[in-house]
Amino acid sequence: MILENNKSEGMIRVPHEARNLIRTGQWKGQTSGVTPTYVQGNLVILPKEDAFDFLRYCFQNPKPCPVIGISEPGDPSLPMLGEDIDIRFDVPAYRVFEHGQMRKVERIDGVWRDDLVSFVIGCSFSFEGALQEVDLDVRHISQGRNVPMFKTNIETSPAGKFSGKLVVTMRPFKPIDAITSVQVSADFARVHGAPVHIGSAKDIGITDLSKPDFGDPVEIKDGELPVFWACGVTPQLAVRNANIPFFITHEPGCMLITDIKNSKMSLS
Amino acid sequence: MILENNKSEGMIRVPHEARNLIRTGQWKGQTSGVTPTYVQGNLVILPKEDAFDFLRYCFQNPKPCPVIGISEPGDPSLPMLGEDIDIRFDVPAYRVFEHGQMRKVERIDGVWRDDLVSFVIGCSFSFEGALQEVDLDVRHISQGRNVPMFKTNIETSPAGKFSGKLVVTMRPFKPIDAITSVQVSADFARVHGAPVHIGSAKDIGITDLSKPDFGDPVEIKDGELPVFWACGVTPQLAVRNANIPFFITHEPGCMLITDIKNSKMSLS
């Protein structure tokens, strides 16, 4: 397939080119590794009626919910993230939730409404490159897997209907590398920032690190500490918990590719 | 007066004590220098109807509008900023705007409504202590004045009804101190962060540095550069520009004193 070839040859380096391939149906599936120097975002689309409480939820929980873009109500563009973005077409796959029923679609122009607000939420992809730059072994990448994600027993701060447990990603490191990982990720204040926990998984309600709630398990070597970061799946759970009749998210792994460089996520 | 004595003796060091004095009418007027290690915030109170667009405005303009607290609609508490805060009483003076008419009051329980949402926005007081810690001469403090504030020709990013020019504060420094001021304030990502401009005032539409639009002029010594930071007066102007029929702000200088340490404003 042309696009897989493109990907394996590393040819999709420009976000608007990647979005155009997605928009025209030439690129389907996960976006991991596509335009790796640019920020990719999680997507939540809600009616305006619930938008304030959702944004308030994100504000109260900035580590799991680092909002990087918000649309005008009814407007499918997101000029702060990319001049040509049309959120109805530019994500490879969406999940549409209507009255608790979920269906997967490849475009959402058919269900678009004038009251819908798009929220784009940052993702840890943005600091993983920086971890690798300082020669840390980001295990799920070196093992070719999805990052392991776990539901913790930590309650997020509720806002209106939105509430739920904190979800975390886990990356194992030797102690000295764990310290470096704190330093490096802390610089990425705009996308999850420093870890939320280090060491004992039980402390945060995780009973078995080999059985993640989402994503894949990764190897933890002797002497390594698990390091836990707040995860962008948290707001997706909060939206599901809110029982609102209509909302849309991206299909996990099928992210919005933005024009923002990852390195900008470290600027104050 | 007991409280001025308290202040001059530096006795009000605990935020809840300061708020209690304000709440009971024993402390009136400006809060500059009260509990100096704790974050003080600008206040905007709006009906919920306009809250999403205002929060979106703040999100789109994070440097002038660093939101540090949001209330539940109708709820006068702000537990994330201080367990005992009651926003109807805990600011020394308020401005109530009704249909374009402004009046100054010392409490707002009489005009409180079930649909009001409080927004607390960070203030540059939080990094001025850090500038002084590294021996920078923060001129308006050494001259015992209010910080000079200027309306620029820079448009903020509009959201719904909310729009307007960026307002900046100005602090003059020798070039080497100007560089240090960038380093130090950049760490305070959660309260205005790094400056927005340095050097030529004309570049950002300021014609006379001796005539600030708000606050007091300060001396600029030979060889000093003016350094400009985004200012929390910006959202106040945006709210006035929005022509909404009812909103409340604090009286300039009469801030909300929170339980958050200034040093926390540098954590990601």
Side-chain angles (χ1 to χ4, degrees):
Chain A
M1 190 191 150
I2 290 171
L3 296 156
E4 288 186 357
N5 286 345
N6 276 348
K7 188 179 173 186
S8 63
E9 289 165 18
M11 286 176 68
I12 312 181
R13 293 209 194 88
V14 186
H16 75 84
E17 188 189 321
R19 289 194 300 268
N20 193 47
L21 292 170
I22 290 165
R23 186 181 304 186
T24 53
Q26 297 177 77
W27 180 271
K28 296 169 192 284
Q30 304 234 352
T31 52
S32 173
V34 181
T35 65
T37 54
Y38 292 89
V39 172
Q40 298 196 13
N42 299 283
L43 179 65
V44 171
I45 302 177
L46 293 169
K48 184 176 178 186
E49 186 187 350
D50 294 301
F52 173 62
D53 280 345
F54 180 69
L55 186 50
R56 201 155 56 86
Y57 177 80
C58 292
F59 165 80
Q60 290 174 195
N61 300 284
K63 295 198 95 157
C65 315
V67 177
I68 58 170
I70 311 171
S71 75
E72 293 275 340
D75 185 346
S77 75
L78 281 157
M80 72 281 276
L81 297 179
E83 288 228 338
D84 60 338
I85 290 176
D86 186 326
I87 203 63
R88 297 170 300 180
F89 308 101
D90 287 2
V91 165
Y94 303 81
R95 290 177 165 196
V96 177
F97 296 81
E98 281 182 286
H99 301 290
Q101 296 291 93
M102 190 268 281
R103 65 198 164 93
K104 192 175 153 182
V105 297
E106 290 180 5
R107 46 196 283 174
I108 54 169
D109 54 323
V111 294
W112 190 255
R113 302 180 352 186
D114 281 349
D115 66 340
L116 293 181
V117 180
S118 303
F119 296 87
V120 181
I121 293 167
C123 137
S124 51
F125 288 0
S126 291
F127 64 72
E128 288 183 341
L131 295 175
Q132 292 180 300
E133 280 290 316
V134 294
D135 294 328
L136 263 58
D137 172 25
V138 181
R139 191 64 35 81
H140 66 276
I141 297 178
S142 61
Q143 292 197 295
R145 299 181 187 170
N146 282 341
V147 67
M149 291 165 267
F150 301 88
K151 220 163 140 173
T152 70
N153 61 4
I154 301 168
E155 280 295 337
T156 57
S157 169
K161 308 168 189 174
F162 300 94
S163 66
K165 305 291 189 193
L166 177 70
V167 177
V168 294
T169 57
M170 188 280 290
R171 294 164 188 80
F173 292 112
K174 288 181 292 188
I176 188 65
D177 289 347
I179 292 165
T180 303
S181 79
V182 174
Q183 292 179 283
V184 170
S185 61
D187 271 349
F188 288 77
R190 295 176 59 194
V191 275
H192 304 311
V196 292
H197 186 60
I198 186 164
S200 166
K202 286 200 184 72
D203 286 358
I204 56 173
I206 299 169
T207 50
D208 188 345
L209 284 175
S210 70
K211 290 179 184 157
D213 295 296
F214 315 94
D216 302 320
V218 296
E219 185 192 6
I220 302 178
K221 298 178 181 169
D222 277 354
E224 287 186 333
L225 287 168
V227 185
F228 301 91
W229 279 264
C231 174
V233 169
T234 310
Q236 307 244 355
L237 287 195
V239 174
R240 297 186 73 154
N241 289 340
N243 285 317
I244 58 179
F246 182 82
F247 65 95
I248 301 167
T249 71
H250 67 296
E251 175 74 14
C254 299
M255 317 290 276
L256 177 69
I257 296 170
T258 78
D259 286 357
I260 314 292
K261 290 241 174 97
N262 287 322
S263 50
K264 287 232 170 152
M265 293 291 110
S266 67
L267 294 177
S268 71
Chain B
M1 190 191 152
I2 291 171
L3 297 156
E4 286 184 0
N5 288 346
N6 275 348
K7 188 179 172 185
S8 63
E9 290 165 18
M11 286 176 67
I12 313 180
R13 293 210 195 87
V14 186
H16 75 84
E17 188 190 320
R19 288 194 300 268
N20 193 47
L21 292 170
I22 290 164
R23 186 181 304 186
T24 53
Q26 298 176 76
W27 180 272
K28 296 169 191 284
Q30 304 235 351
T31 52
S32 174
V34 181
T35 65
T37 54
Y38 291 90
V39 172
Q40 298 197 12
N42 300 282
L43 179 65
V44 171
I45 301 177
L46 292 170
K48 185 177 176 186
E49 186 188 350
D50 294 301
F52 173 62
D53 280 344
F54 180 69
L55 186 51
R56 201 156 56 86
Y57 178 80
C58 293
F59 166 79
Q60 290 174 196
N61 299 284
K63 293 198 97 157
C65 314
V67 178
I68 58 170
I70 311 172
S71 75
E72 292 275 341
D75 185 346
S77 74
L78 281 158
M80 71 282 275
L81 297 179
E83 288 227 338
D84 59 338
I85 290 176
D86 186 326
I87 203 64
R88 297 170 300 180
F89 307 101
D90 287 1
V91 166
Y94 303 81
R95 292 177 165 196
V96 177
F97 295 82
E98 281 180 287
H99 301 289
Q101 296 292 92
M102 190 267 279
R103 65 200 165 91
K104 192 175 154 180
V105 297
E106 290 180 6
R107 45 196 283 175
I108 54 169
D109 53 324
V111 295
W112 190 254
R113 303 180 349 187
D114 282 348
D115 66 340
L116 292 181
V117 181
S118 302
F119 295 88
V120 181
I121 294 168
C123 137
S124 51
F125 289 2
S126 291
F127 64 72
E128 287 182 342
L131 295 175
Q132 292 180 301
E133 280 290 316
V134 294
D135 295 327
L136 263 59
D137 172 25
V138 180
R139 191 64 36 79
H140 67 276
I141 297 177
S142 60
Q143 292 198 295
R145 300 183 185 169
N146 282 342
V147 67
M149 291 165 267
F150 301 88
K151 220 163 139 174
T152 69
N153 61 5
I154 301 167
E155 280 295 337
T156 57
S157 170
K161 307 169 188 172
F162 299 94
S163 66
K165 304 292 189 193
L166 177 71
V167 178
V168 293
T169 56
M170 188 281 290
R171 295 164 188 81
F173 292 112
K174 288 180 292 187
I176 188 65
D177 289 348
I179 292 164
T180 303
S181 78
V182 175
Q183 291 179 284
V184 170
S185 60
D187 270 350
F188 288 78
R190 293 176 60 195
V191 274
H192 303 311
V196 292
H197 186 60
I198 186 164
S200 166
K202 286 201 183 71
D203 287 359
I204 56 172
I206 299 169
T207 50
D208 188 346
L209 284 174
S210 71
K211 290 180 184 154
D213 295 298
F214 314 94
D216 301 321
V218 297
E219 184 191 5
I220 302 179
K221 297 179 181 168
D222 276 353
E224 288 186 333
L225 286 169
V227 185
F228 301 92
W229 279 265
C231 174
V233 170
T234 311
Q236 307 244 356
L237 287 194
V239 174
R240 296 188 74 152
N241 289 340
N243 285 317
I244 60 180
F246 182 81
F247 65 95
I248 300 167
T249 70
H250 67 295
E251 175 73 14
C254 299
M255 316 292 275
L256 177 69
I257 296 171
T258 78
D259 285 357
I260 313 291
K261 290 240 174 96
N262 287 322
S263 51
K264 287 232 171 157
M265 293 290 111
S266 67
L267 294 177
S268 69

